[in-house]
Amino acid sequence: MTPRTVSSERRLRRGYLRPKDIAIAAALALLPTGGWADAATDYAEHCASCHAENRLGGTGPALIPETLGRVRGIDEVIAHGRPSTQMMGFADQLSPERIAALVEFIKAPLAETPSWTVDDIAASREMVADYTPAEKPVFTADPMNITLVVETGDHHVSVLDGDTFDVLDRFGTPYAVHGGPKFSPDGRYVFVMSRDGWVEKYDIWSLKEVGRVRAGLNSRNIAMSHDGQWLAVANYLPQTLTILSTETLEPVRVLDVAAKDGTPSRVSAVYQAPERKSFILALKDAPEIWEVATDPEAGPYYDGYVHTYEKDATEAFGAQEGLFARRRIRTEEPLDDFFFDPGYRNLIGTNREGTKGVVINLTSGGKVAELPLPGMPHLGSGITWDRNGHKVMATPHLDEGVLSVIDMTDWTLVKQIETSGPGFFLRSHETSPYVWADVFFGPHKDEVHIIDKQTLEIVKTVNPAPGKTVAHTEFTKDGKYALVSIWEDDGAVIVYDAKTLEEVRRLPMRKPSGKYNVWNKITFSDGTSH
C-alpha cells in the first residue's frame, strides 16, 4: 500500500495533483500520528486476507470508493463486525482513532484504475462441488409462483411459496446485492449480482447454489438474453460489458465500452429486449445507446460510411454482425434509466439533469418525442396498463411528489398525480384495477398510495409501519396478493389482499429491499418493471 503514498507525494511536488487528491491529502494530514502509513499497516494486517491487498475484494467485498459508494457506518462495522457474516469486529485491537484512519484509507481512490480481464473473471469462478440438479422441484409448491425476497440486512434471499408464504429456503448472497435478480426463461434458475461484480447462480428447483463468478469490480445490473443462454453484466469499473454463459458462468465476451470518438464510458445499465433478440445498454458518459445482438444472424451494423444498405454489400467500414455484434444509436446527449414500450419498439430515457424524457425509436434510431418530465423521473420503475383503449405508462419522480402518466399513443402527458412525497417504485398486475406507489423519500416514507388505473385517483393510502420506510410492491402469480416491504433491518414483508386492500399477514425479514415473482418476471407481466 505504500506506493499510493509515494505516488500522491510525487504528484503534489510536480504540481498536478487532482483536487480529489488534495482533499484526501488534507484529510490524511488530520489523521493521528503516522496517518496513511499506519492505516496501510492496519489494513495489511487485519483486512487484506479477506478483502485482498489491492482492496479489490476476495472472500469479502471490494473496499474502494466505487463499491463503497455512500455506505454509512463503516467505522461501526470495523469495530463490531457484521452479524451473520465472516466479518469480525476489531474494537479490541484498534483504537477509535486507528479505525477512523482505516476508514479514510479504504475510502481513498486507488493510485491506478484497476483492470478486470477475461482471465481474472475466469479465475474467480467458483462452482459448488457437491451441487447436483434435481430432476423435478424438491418442494410441492407451484414453481411458477415462487417469490424471491432479497434481504439486504444480512445479505440473504428468502424463497417464498407464493400460495402459503412459507419460506422454502434462505440462501446467502454476495455482499450488497444490487439490481433485480434475473430468471432463466423456464423459471428454474435465478441469477443475482452484487455491487462489486459477483454473480451468483441458484437452482430454485433444487434449492441449491450452483456457483458464482466475479464479472466486474463495480457493477450496476444484469440482463438475461431472450434464449436464456447469456447473462450480460453492466460495469462501472472497469468500463465494460461482461457476457457470461448462463450454463457454466464462464466469460464468453468482455466488450470495452467507448463512444465512437474513443471516450470510455461507464455502463449505467443493461436491459433485455426479447423481441429484438438483443441487449440494450445505457452509457453514462457518451451520447450513444448500444444494442448488442444475442442473435447469431444479427447485422451487419455499421459504424462508418456505408455505400449501400443491402445486406450483402461490402463497401462499408466498421461492420459488425452475428452474435454479440454491437450497434451504435447516436443521441443528442447521454440518456439513462431506460423504459421500453411493449414490443420494445421504442425506448424512453432521461437526460443527465433529470428534466425530461426522450423517446427513441430502436429501429430507426431517431428521436420520436420529448416528454415533460421534470423532477428526476425514475423511468426504470415505470409500468404500463390499458386505459380507455390506450396504452399508458406511469413513472414516479425522485425529486417531486408526483406520478406522471403518459399516453403512449401520441406521447402526451395525461396527468400528474400528486402524492405525499417523491417515490421510488410502482407496481400493478393485469388482474388488478390498482397501481401501488410508495413514497420512498421524505417524512411520508411510511405510506403507500393505491391508485385507480382508470380514474387516476388515489383510492386508499396505507401506513403499515409508522415512521419506517415502506416500499416495493410485488404481486403473486394470480394477482390475488400484493406484497409490500418494510425497508428496515428489523423489517417485514406485508401480505395484502389485492382486492380488499386489507393486510392478511406479516413475514419478519431483514431489510427486504425487493421481491420478485417468477411468473411475473419471465412472462413480462403487465404492471411489472422489466
Side-chain angles (χ1 to χ4, degrees):
M1 291 300 167
T2 52
R4 169 64 187 178
T5 308
V6 172
S7 177
S8 295
E9 291 173 350
R10 285 178 178 171
R11 286 203 298 271
L12 183 59
R13 286 198 300 269
R14 293 177 181 177
Y16 56 88
L17 194 63
R18 299 167 299 170
K20 182 188 292 184
D21 294 315
I22 295 172
I24 293 168
L28 291 172
L30 301 176
L31 294 178
T33 303
W36 192 294
D38 286 348
T41 300
D42 285 337
Y43 180 89
E45 181 177 349
H46 301 294
C47 311
S49 60
C50 291
H51 300 277
E53 293 182 2
N54 57 12
R55 293 164 49 201
L56 296 182
T59 57
L63 299 180
I64 56 177
E66 292 86 350
T67 56
L68 290 172
R70 300 176 182 176
V71 173
R72 298 178 181 178
I74 300 174
D75 54 344
E76 289 296 314
V77 174
I78 295 174
H80 305 296
R82 188 180 291 275
S84 303
T85 72
Q86 298 179 44
M87 177 64 192
M88 58 181 288
F90 294 92
D92 59 340
Q93 302 176 59
L94 300 174
S95 68
E97 292 76 19
R98 289 172 68 184
I99 289 175
L102 188 55
V103 171
E104 292 301 321
F105 178 81
I106 65 177
K107 289 171 66 175
L110 297 173
E112 297 180 358
T113 301
S115 64
W116 195 247
T117 66
V118 171
D119 290 341
D120 293 323
I121 298 169
S124 73
R125 193 172 71 103
E126 304 169 355
M127 306 305 288
V128 176
D130 61 353
Y131 163 74
T132 301
E135 295 183 0
K136 61 181 181 179
V138 297
F139 46 82
T140 58
D142 179 359
M144 291 291 102
N145 198 23
I146 296 296
T147 295
L148 300 188
V149 182
V150 176
E151 298 181 68
T152 56
D154 63 353
H155 314 291
H156 280 74
V157 168
S158 285
V159 184
L160 291 185
D161 179 334
D163 293 306
T164 66
F165 303 109
D166 292 335
V167 177
L168 305 178
D169 188 32
R170 192 171 187 269
F171 63 92
T173 68
Y175 175 82
V177 167
H178 187 248
K182 295 298 182 289
F183 298 94
S184 57
D186 60 2
R188 170 164 188 166
Y189 298 101
V190 66
F191 300 80
V192 297
M193 186 215 74
S194 66
R195 280 190 179 273
D196 55 355
W198 281 98
V199 175
E200 177 183 21
K201 180 180 180 180
Y202 179 85
D203 182 348
I204 296 174
W205 283 17
S206 304
L207 299 179
K208 297 289 184 181
E209 178 182 344
V210 180
R212 59 182 69 188
V213 66
R214 193 174 191 182
L217 301 177
N218 180 17
S219 303
R220 303 304 296 169
N221 78 320
I222 54 179
M224 176 73 61
S225 64
H226 70 282
D227 55 9
Q229 292 190 61
W230 318 112
L231 192 78
V233 185
N235 299 315
Y236 261 23
L237 182 67
Q239 295 160 322
T240 59
L241 180 78
T242 299
I243 301 177
L244 304 172
S245 162
T246 56
E247 181 179 359
T248 66
L249 293 182
E250 294 175 301
V252 294
R253 188 72 58 89
V254 175
L255 303 178
D256 293 320
V257 178
K260 191 172 186 299
D261 65 4
T263 303
S265 177
R266 295 166 289 176
V267 184
S268 297
V270 59
Y271 304 86
Q272 174 189 356
E275 284 84 353
R276 299 183 62 81
K277 298 182 180 180
S278 66
F279 295 123
I280 305 293
L281 278 64
L283 272 55
K284 188 74 173 177
D285 309 302
E288 296 180 5
I289 297 164
W290 279 20
E291 183 170 22
V292 176
T294 55
D295 178 6
E297 303 300 321
Y301 304 132
Y302 303 98
D303 273 354
Y305 169 78
V306 179
H307 180 267
T308 173
Y309 282 91
E310 296 177 4
K311 184 175 179 60
D312 296 328
T314 57
E315 296 183 51
F317 301 98
Q320 292 193 15
E321 56 187 318
L323 188 62
F324 308 138
R326 186 258 300 122
R327 172 188 173 220
R328 299 181 193 268
I329 300 174
R330 312 291 175 79
T331 56
E332 297 174 358
E333 56 189 323
L335 298 177
D336 209 346
D337 198 22
F338 292 168
F339 180 86
F340 301 87
D341 64 2
Y344 289 75
R345 295 180 298 275
N346 296 293
L347 169 156
I348 304 93
T350 187
N351 63 341
R352 182 172 293 166
E353 294 76 21
T355 59
K356 64 181 179 181
V358 180
V359 183
I360 302 293
N361 182 276
L362 288 172
T363 299
S364 68
K367 184 170 74 172
V368 175
E370 286 192 6
L371 307 179
L373 296 175
M376 195 67 70
H378 187 30
L379 295 171
S381 287
I383 62 172
T384 64
W385 69 88
D386 294 317
R387 179 177 183 268
N388 298 331
H390 289 229
K391 183 70 73 174
V392 298
M393 65 167 283
T395 179
H397 293 251
L398 302 181
D399 287 346
E400 288 188 38
V402 297
L403 304 177
S404 292
V405 181
I406 303 291
D407 188 324
M408 302 181 78
T409 304
D410 56 10
W411 303 108
T412 57
L413 179 66
V414 177
K415 183 178 181 179
Q416 285 199 320
I417 305 169
E418 292 188 8
T419 64
S420 56
F424 204 79
F425 298 106
L426 295 182
R427 282 294 188 274
S428 188
H429 191 272
E430 52 265 27
T431 65
S432 174
Y434 305 119
V435 172
W436 294 58
D438 59 53
V439 186
F440 196 87
F441 305 99
H444 298 281
K445 63 183 181 180
D446 50 5
E447 295 181 355
V448 174
H449 295 309
I450 301 171
I451 301 164
D452 188 286
K453 289 181 180 178
Q454 303 309 313
T455 67
L456 305 183
E457 299 292 336
I458 297 174
V459 298
K460 186 174 183 177
T461 297
V462 297
N463 188 323
K468 297 186 177 182
T469 301
V470 180
H472 196 276
T473 304
E474 175 63 301
F475 286 78
T476 52
K477 172 186 173 182
D478 55 9
K480 184 177 180 180
Y481 297 103
L483 283 61
V484 178
S485 290
I486 300 177
W487 199 301
E488 307 285 346
D489 191 54
D490 58 344
V493 168
I494 309 170
V495 182
Y496 285 92
D497 185 300
K499 289 186 177 180
T500 67
L501 310 181
E502 297 297 325
E503 179 180 335
V504 297
R505 188 171 177 182
R506 290 196 180 204
L507 310 172
M509 297 280 179
R510 296 287 302 278
K511 198 173 185 179
S513 60
K515 302 160 298 300
Y516 307 89
N517 180 268
V518 170
W519 178 259
N520 292 342
K521 288 300 181 183
I522 67 174
T523 62
F524 295 83
S525 173
D526 201 12
T528 299
S529 62
H530 304 143

